[in-house]
Amino acid sequence: MSIIGMQEKTGRGQEGICMRKRNVYKDIVCIAVGCLLLVLAVWAGDFWMRQQKSYEILIQSQSELTKGIVEELGKIEGLYGFTAVSSCDVKIRLEEYALEASLTGIDVSSYPLKWKSAREEISLGNTPILFFGQESFAAFTDSNGNGPGRSRIAEWVRDYQDLQLTVAGEDGRERSAKIGGIVETPSSGIYIGDKQMAALYGASARVSGGCARIQGYRNMQKAKELLSGAGFEAE
């Protein structure tokens, strides 16, 4: 074979190698673009689903919610429902510990609580049945201002059905009480059924919070920012 022929054959071989390299690069680019489009499609689908979903925000104020404030809440974008709840200040005693807290009256069957545990059957009457956020036990203090240890709190959470408490309202009347369940979230609240709230503490109860139902994830995030900026606790 002549030198020219060898050069032509070598040239064609190099050209073939270059074409294969270009084809490989092209395939890699096509795969990368396809993956990117797939990621964008999944993200867009997830975003659309979140915008269609309903979210619940628990709102708490340091002062009473007036009719005017509730009307202002109604202007929040995406808000389609607001259930007001009442609360009152109480003093709770558990063993040698005491806690001054805000007791919130709720519809236990529909209020958006995430339960850690709860009694299967609850007998209502003049005995207040309370529902404790799992972190609220840490706020108790003894006469020296010391809180319970972790092991004591763990025992309370585990044996909550057997605990004996007393609750004193703003009128100073003290009643024996029981715990009906432990709430995982919101973790710091203390609750009572709305019917018992009205019957036992209605005279001192005030509307200071509620549950806002909002359509769309973006609206929910904006609502939280707006409410927090206005001095509300929103979670």
Side-chain angles (χ1 to χ4, degrees), residues 198-219:
L200 302 178
Y201 305 107
S204 57
R206 63 190 183 281
V207 176
S208 58
C211 176
R213 294 173 176 83
I214 297 176
Q215 182 79 28
Y217 181 79
R218 180 176 292 178
N219 291 335

Side-chain angles (χ1 to χ4, degrees), residues 91-129:
K91 186 171 185 177
I92 304 172
R93 293 191 180 277
L94 174 57
E95 299 176 2
E96 70 270 29
Y97 297 90
L99 169 65
E100 293 184 358
S102 178
L103 182 63
T104 302
I106 61 171
D107 182 343
V108 179
S109 63
S110 62
Y111 202 70
L113 302 177
K114 183 178 179 181
W115 295 96
K116 182 179 179 67
S117 55
R119 292 174 180 263
E120 293 184 3
E121 295 184 5
I122 298 175
S123 299
L124 299 178
N126 292 328
T127 300
I129 305 297

Side-chain angles (χ1 to χ4, degrees), residues 57-61 63-85 207-214 219 223-224 226-228 230-234:
I57 300 177
L58 301 183
I59 300 172
Q60 188 64 39
S61 173
S63 58
E64 187 169 4
L65 296 184
T66 64
K67 182 179 178 181
I69 294 176
V70 174
E71 289 176 351
E72 288 298 314
L73 291 175
K75 298 177 182 179
I76 294 176
E77 187 175 358
L79 187 142
Y80 66 90
F82 179 73
T83 302
V85 297
V207 176
S208 58
C211 176
R213 294 173 176 83
I214 297 176
N219 291 335
K224 278 189 173 182
L226 178 64
L227 290 166
S228 297
F232 291 90
E233 292 181 15

Side-chain angles (χ1 to χ4, degrees), residues 15-179:
E15 182 179 355
I17 293 172
C18 291
M19 289 182 66
R20 284 196 296 272
K21 287 184 177 180
R22 284 197 295 271
N23 289 337
V24 171
Y25 294 149
K26 182 179 179 181
D27 291 341
I28 293 174
V29 171
C30 290
I31 291 172
V33 171
C35 290
L36 178 60
L37 291 175
L38 179 61
V39 170
L40 290 175
V42 171
W43 178 86
D46 179 65
F47 178 79
W48 184 86
M49 289 294 294
R50 287 191 297 173
Q51 293 307 107
Q52 306 309 309
K53 187 177 178 182
S54 295
Y55 296 86
E56 294 172 319
I57 300 177
L58 301 183
I59 300 172
Q60 188 64 39
S61 173
Q62 296 298 322
S63 58
E64 187 169 4
L65 296 184
T66 64
K67 182 179 178 181
I69 294 176
V70 174
E71 289 176 351
E72 288 298 314
L73 291 175
K75 298 177 182 179
I76 294 176
E77 187 175 358
L79 187 142
Y80 66 90
F82 179 73
T83 302
V85 297
S86 58
S87 63
C88 66
D89 294 328
V90 296
K91 186 171 185 177
I92 304 172
R93 293 191 180 277
L94 174 57
E95 299 176 2
E96 70 270 29
Y97 297 90
L99 169 65
E100 293 184 358
S102 178
L103 182 63
T104 302
I106 61 171
D107 182 343
V108 179
S109 63
S110 62
Y111 202 70
L113 302 177
K114 183 178 179 181
W115 295 96
K116 182 179 179 67
S117 55
R119 292 174 180 263
E120 293 184 3
E121 295 184 5
I122 298 175
S123 299
L124 299 178
N126 292 328
T127 300
I129 305 297
L130 310 183
F131 306 95
F132 271 60
Q134 61 181 350
E135 294 181 4
S136 59
F137 291 102
F140 279 87
T141 57
D142 61 17
S143 58
N144 296 316
N146 299 317
R150 291 184 179 180
S151 59
R152 178 72 69 88
I153 293 174
E155 290 177 5
W156 287 346
V157 172
R158 185 191 64 213
D159 303 327
Y160 73 91
Q161 298 188 45
D162 301 323
L163 297 178
Q164 298 292 331
L165 305 89
T166 61
V167 182
E170 294 180 4
D171 60 0
R173 180 179 177 181
E174 196 169 67
R175 294 180 173 90
S176 296
K178 300 288 286 183
I179 298 179

